[in-house]
Amino acid sequence: MARLRSRPETSGFDVTACDKMGLPIGGGGVGVGYELQAVIARDEVLRGASRDLPAARVVSLGRDLSLMPMTDQLFDAATDGTVGSLGFWRLPGGFDKRLADWSAAGVVAYVEAEYFGGVGEQHAAVWADGAVVLGPLHVAEGQPFGSVGSPISQALRRLEVVADAPTDEFATVGLDRHRHSEDWIA
């Protein structure tokens, strides 16, 4: 899991984001977790695409973007019983085909992040016009994000998110608002 850094423009999930989530300042993030598994797309794309999945819950992020958390119910409803081939932890088998289909209407991203005690990792992929156009990207424990930013920030840039100074795309759209995927729909 990648070490969190205090430079929000390169970290993807930074100490300032932790502070906004109510974690204690000054290293208090130790023992506190964050996880996200979700589809992100423009509001109209995601709301239209998710109509055929009764278990899907779509939440507005603002900035004309929505998020569909990969809840247990959605995972169970969406899987075709196979193992996903893109290296994600929680992408249901066969769901990548659905994401490719949805991307005919607009760019679609699938993202995963998991952090605990100040370390974490991220995965992301982006589909457009029926094909993967970015990724799958993965930054594992101990790997820096590099100058292009975190996998999730890169995916958000494909969705035309422009970071607000001095944060990155991750914080700009508010992905630091909830600590767990299920909390987005609570």
Side-chain angles (χ1 to χ4, degrees), residues 12-13 34 113 122 150 152-153 156 168-176:
F13 186 77
Y34 174 90
Q122 288 189 16
S150 73
I152 293 176
S153 285
L156 291 169
D168 63 2
E169 295 81 2
F170 186 101
T172 295
V173 300
L175 292 179
D176 54 352

Side-chain angles (χ1 to χ4, degrees), residues 13-14 16-18 20-21 34 170-179 184:
F13 186 77
D14 63 76
T16 17
C18 291
K20 289 179 203 168
M21 289 177 14
Y34 174 90
F170 186 101
T172 295
V173 300
L175 292 179
D176 54 352
R177 280 184 262 172
H178 299 286
R179 290 187 182 131
W184 286 95

Side-chain angles (χ1 to χ4, degrees), residues 60-109:
S60 178
L61 291 173
R63 299 177 181 254
D64 194 32
L65 289 177
S66 286
L67 174 141
M68 182 175 65
M70 186 54 66
T71 62
D72 291 339
Q73 295 82 8
L74 179 57
F75 184 92
D76 291 344
T79 190
D80 67 4
T82 64
V83 176
S85 62
L86 297 176
F88 289 97
W89 306 305
R90 191 143 166 88
L91 183 68
F95 200 70
D96 56 324
K97 293 178 186 80
R98 190 179 300 245
L99 293 171
D101 291 345
W102 291 355
S103 75
V107 179
V108 177

